[in-house]
């Protein structure tokens, strides 16, 4: 049986803990952001990952793992903003519930796609997840520029979900699989 659901839950727990700690420290200050600003924040994180992958070094003492976590958390923030609007509700309990709701929706999507693609993501390079996230950001920006008026494409939310799942795959490959290898 696939380890993916258990690994996905481990990633959810790490990302959720960071989200909750930051919400404790900063409150829900991010609720003022429009979805377009959140998309740009995700771009900054994905672009930094790509720069690190290509240059092989960093001048800021943070690797790519925190950036993938940031992509996940910002994409969930984007989903919350799409649903609730900017600054619609600053109740931290409601935000925490919405956060888990969207993370579990992303997991359901991943499980359905994983069934159809037979875990092909495990054979991909982490750099491909980065490129796919950047592509999803460009698609999202285009849809935002079109004000959602698309002819055939899925909406912004679908792209945020895909960004979450690609970032989760990267974290599984970079952290969980590496830890399991070290245990053996």
């Amino acid at each position: 049986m696939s380890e993916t659901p258990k690994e996905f839950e481990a990633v959810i727990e790490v990302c959720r803990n960071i989200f909750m700690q930051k919400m404790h420290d900063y409150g829900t200050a991010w609720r003022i952001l429009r979805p377009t600003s959140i998309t740009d924040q995700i771009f900054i994180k994905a672009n930094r990952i790509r720069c690190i992958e290509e240059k092989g070094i960093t001048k800021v003492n943070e690797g790519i793992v925190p950036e993938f976590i940031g992509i996940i958390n910002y994409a969930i923030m984007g989903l919350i903003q799409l649903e609730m609007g900017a600054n619609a509700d600053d109740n931290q309990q409601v935000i925490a519930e919405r956060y888990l709701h969207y993370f579990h929706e992303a997991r359901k999507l991943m499980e359905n796609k994983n069934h159809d693609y037979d875990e092909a993501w495990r054979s991909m390079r982490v750099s491909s997840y980065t490129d796919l996230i950047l592509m999803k950001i460009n698609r999202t920006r285009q849809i935002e520029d079109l004000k959602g008026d698309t002819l055939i494409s899925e909406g912004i939310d679908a792209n945020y979900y895909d960004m979450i799942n690609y970032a989760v795959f990267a974290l599984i490959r970079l952290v969980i699989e590496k830890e399991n290898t070290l245990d053996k």
Side-chain angles (χ1 to χ4, degrees), residues 30-144:
W30 59 270
R31 294 278 291 118
I32 196 71
L33 296 173
R34 291 171 281 199
T36 54
S37 296
I38 292 175
T39 301
D40 287 344
Q41 284 298 119
I42 297 168
F43 168 75
I44 290 167
K45 298 203 166 292
N47 192 63
R48 181 170 186 269
I49 293 168
R50 187 167 177 159
C51 287
I52 293 169
E53 289 171 345
E54 290 179 355
K55 293 175 185 174
I57 58 168
T58 65
K59 289 195 175 187
V60 176
N61 194 20
E62 264 188 6
I64 63 175
V65 168
E67 301 297 357
F68 279 115
I69 292 168
I71 288 169
I72 290 166
N73 284 342
Y74 272 111
I76 293 173
M77 288 176 197
L79 289 165
I80 291 169
Q81 295 301 75
L82 289 174
E83 174 192 358
M84 299 175 72
N87 210 21
D89 185 350
D90 292 328
N91 181 309
Q92 290 189 9
Q93 181 62 36
V94 170
I95 299 301
E97 290 169 5
R98 299 319 297 152
Y99 179 91
L100 279 177
H101 165 78
Y102 285 116
F103 220 142
H104 286 106
E105 288 299 309
R107 179 183 168 178
K108 284 188 225 171
L109 175 66
M110 178 278 302
E111 288 173 343
N112 290 338
K113 287 186 174 185
N114 218 20
H115 174 270
D116 292 351
Y117 290 99
D118 201 26
E119 296 207 332
W121 64 270
R122 288 197 185 266
S123 298
M124 294 171 62
R125 296 172 185 91
V126 172
S127 60
S128 293
Y129 307 135
T130 305
D131 292 348
L132 288 166
I133 290 168
L134 285 164
M135 179 189 67
K136 293 293 183 175
I137 292 166
N138 287 335
R139 287 181 177 183
T140 301
R141 284 176 159 177
Q142 177 67 19
I143 295 168
E144 288 168 345

